[in-house]
C-alpha cells in the first residue's frame, strides 16, 4: 500500500471481456477530476487458466493451482487485495482465500448484502449461471433468498448463449443474445421470481435493468463499486 491508498489486484482472464468490463466499471464509477485520483489497479488477464465449469463437472484440469499462482504474482507486484470477475471461480473462494497472502473480496457476499439492504421484501430470485456454478452451489451458500434456476432446456439455451460458437464468450453481444435471455426469463417468471442475478460474468455484458423486465442484480457492478470504495481509503 502506497500513500495510504490500496492497490487492487484483478484476478482475470476468465474471460478477458469480463475482466475488461470490471476494469471499465471501476474507472467509470470513480468520480475524479484528474488521473491521479483513480484507483490503483493491477490487472492479471490470464486466459490460459483451465475452464472452471469443466473442472467442476469432472471434464477438465484443475484451475486452482493456476489461480493460486496468479494470486501470488499479484501480491508480489504490489496488490493489497484481490477481486475476481469470474463468478464460477468463486466456487473455489475458500481455498483461494486460504492460500492467499492478501485478502480476496467475495463478490457473492456483496450480492447478499445488496439484496438485504435494497430488496428486503423480495423472496424468490432467478439465478442465471454456468452449469459449474450451479453444481458447486456457491450462490446458494452465500445467498439467503430462495434461488430459482432455469429448467433443463432453458439452461442448455443459456449455456449456448454464453459458450456457443456465436455466444458472448465468442464476442457476440448482439440483440440476439438479449432476446434469448428474455425468453428464458419469461419462462422463469412463471415461477414468480421477482429479480434476477446475472450469475455469470459474461451476462453483465448484455443484461441490465433497461433491457430486462425484472430488477437485475449484477455482481460485476457491485464489485466495481466496492473496489472504488475501498481503493480510495
Amino acid at each position: 500500500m502506497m500513500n495510504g491508498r490500496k492497490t487492487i489486484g484483478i484476478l482475470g482472464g476468465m474471460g478477458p471481456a469480463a475482466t475488461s468490463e470490471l476494469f471499465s466499471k471501476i474507472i467509470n464509477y470513480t468520480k475524479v477530476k484528474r488521473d491521479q485520483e483513480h484507483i490503483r489497479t493491477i490487472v492479471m488477464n490470464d486466459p490460459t487458466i483451465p475452464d472452471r465449469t469443466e473442472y467442476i463437472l469432472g471434464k477438465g484440469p484443475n484451475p486452482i493451482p493456476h489461480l493460486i499462482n496468479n494470486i501470488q504474482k499479484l501480491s508480489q507486484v504490489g496488490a493489497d487485495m484481490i477481486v475476481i470477475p469470474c463468478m464460477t471461480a468463486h466456487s473455489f473462494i475458500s481455498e483461494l482465500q486460504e492460500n492467499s497472502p492478501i485478502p480476496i473480496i467475495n463478490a457473492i457476499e456483496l450480492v447478499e448484502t445488496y439484496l438485504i439492504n435494497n430488496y428486503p421484501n423480495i423472496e424468490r430470485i432467478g439465478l442465471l449461471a454456468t452449469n459449474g456454478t450451479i453444481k458447486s452451489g456457491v450462490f446458494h451458500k452465500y445467498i439467503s433468498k430462495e434461488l430459482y434456476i432455469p429448467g433443463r432446456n432453458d439452461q442448455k439455451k443459456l449455456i449456448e448463449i454464453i459458450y456457443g460458437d456465436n455466444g458472448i464468450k465468442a464476442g457476440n453481444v448482439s440483440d440476439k443474445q438479449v432476446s434469448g435471455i428474455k425468453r428464458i426469463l419469461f419462462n422463469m417468471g412463471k415461477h414468480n421470481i421477482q429479480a434476477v442475478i446475472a450469475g455469470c460474468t459474461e451476462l453483465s455484458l448484455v443484461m441490465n435493468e433497461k433491457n430486462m423486465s425484472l430488477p437485475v442484480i449484477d455482481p460485476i457492478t457491485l464489485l466495481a463499486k466496492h473496489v472504488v470504495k475501498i481503493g480510495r481509503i
Side-chain angles (χ1 to χ4, degrees), residues 60 82 89 93 115 143 170 177 182 185 201 209:
I82 288 174
I93 190 74
L115 289 171
I143 303 298
Q177 309 303 340
K182 283 183 175 180
L185 288 181
T201 318
E209 294 196 352

Side-chain angles (χ1 to χ4, degrees), residues 131 149-161 180 184 187:
N131 292 338
I149 62 175
R152 180 178 296 180
N153 289 336
D154 278 338
Q155 181 64 20
K156 288 181 179 179
K157 293 176 183 176
L158 179 65
I159 296 305
E160 183 66 20
I161 288 171
I184 293 170
N187 291 334

